[in-house]
Amino acid sequence: MALRVPGRAGPPQARRARRLLFAFTLSLSCTYLCYSLLRCCDGRGRGRLLRAPRGPRAAVPPAPPEPRPCAPPGPPPRAPAPRPAASSLSGSPKPGTKRLPQALIVGVKKGGTRAVLEFIRVHPDVRALGTEPHFFDRNYGRGLDWYRSLMPRTLESQITLEKTPSYFVTQEAPRRIFNMSRDTKLIVVVRNPVTRAISDYTQTLSKKPDIPTFEGLSFRNRTLGLVDVSWNAIRIGLYALHLEGWLRYFPRAQIHFVSGERLITDPAGEMGRVQDFLGIRRFLTDKHFYFNKTKGFPCLRRTEASLLPRCLGKSKGRAHVQIDPEVIDQLREFYRPHNIKFYETVGQDFRWE
Ligand SMILES: *[C@@H]1O[C@H](CO)[C@@H](O)[C@H](O)[C@H]1NC(C)=O
Ligand SMILES: *[C@@H]1O[C@H](CO)[C@@H](O)[C@H](O)[C@H]1NC(C)=O
Ligand SMILES: *[C@@H]1O[C@H](CO)[C@@H](O)[C@H](O)[C@H]1NC(C)=O
């Protein structure tokens, strides 16, 4: 602030001026507080009282309409109307600065990335973009300034985060991210590649009911056990292969792997490790989660700061299509050596066999 308040009381006039100034500042703060509260309420239960207004989610064009955790079923909510500039309300600029992300959730699709993002953004030291900007794959040509402009404002102490699961399988992504900052922390949520493929297929099927069967797409020749690795749903699961590209740029310790399976059975434990990796205090603990048996998925408990309990959207944790167990066995066999190589590289056994 431009106002210096001297340590000692000055002449009566100066004191009066200061009192006026104090009252004025107080009223500004109140205005801002009310404004923040209003923003929180229209943030669909994601209220974080006394925190800066959320970033301009609506400004991100290319993100797929993944449902937000407490979005009602049905069409995604329309983008909110542009907010009036804060300056017209309070005369002071909005707090915080837009920064390039210091951490990214880079993958994998259908691994549980949305859950990790929604869980970690409960942390007061994390601000995350709600949509997927696809900067390092589809939108790289728009430049870093464009990318930065999408980010939520953060205070010095806060980490900026975004997630785009397709980065993990994008060949150029490691180099581009390294070029942004070699210190970028990378988070990869992985899951049994067979389950992942089925989940991926289930999602595609829900949009395009006419696609061939899972078996038909998985094999080039099923009798010969020839798996079609050019099919994306299969290819994404070759984690060891994709990881190689990242390790050319980033040391192993700069990539954190979250187990998609343990995220469901022990969200607090898994999120504890994510917080340690990000170098932030363990704010998220057991008391933030409860298990919804109907959904078979952990949800965020209601707290003073968020008035509604939050579960992931309807499409999350949806029932998978039934696949012939023999096909599953064949794919499991196919992935086994890749999985083992992945465990060795990462130094962690995910127990997918
Ligand atoms: C690296 O980033 C800079 C901007 O920081 C940009 O000018 C340059 O083209 C980028 N190089 C590559 C190879 O992406
Ligand atoms: C699969 O391989 C078997 C054995 O070589 C062959 O007889 C069959 O025609 C092949 N099927 C397809 C669809 O290529
Ligand atoms: C659990 O999930 C079901 C299905 O999504 C939902 O209808 C129900 O409200 C949830 N219950 C709680 C306590 O969150």
Side-chain angles (χ1 to χ4, degrees), residues 213-228 323-331:
T213 61
F214 182 80
E215 293 88 318
L217 291 165
S218 294
F219 295 98
R220 271 197 273 181
N221 186 321
R222 190 169 160 205
T223 334
L224 292 175
L226 266 182
V227 172
D228 189 350
I323 308 292
D324 180 354
E326 206 178 292
V327 169
I328 292 178
D329 279 347
Q330 272 180 296
L331 289 179

Side-chain angles (χ1 to χ4, degrees), residues 140 144 175-176 179-180:
Y140 195 61
L144 281 171
R175 178 176 50 80
R176 291 172 173 178
N179 188 39
M180 171 179 75

Side-chain angles (χ1 to χ4, degrees), residues 317-338:
R318 84 181 118 206
H320 290 171
V321 287
Q322 285 299 307
I323 308 292
D324 180 354
E326 206 178 292
V327 169
I328 292 178
D329 279 347
Q330 272 180 296
L331 289 179
R332 215 174 255 165
E333 282 304 313
F334 163 75
Y335 276 120
R336 190 185 310 271
H338 297 280

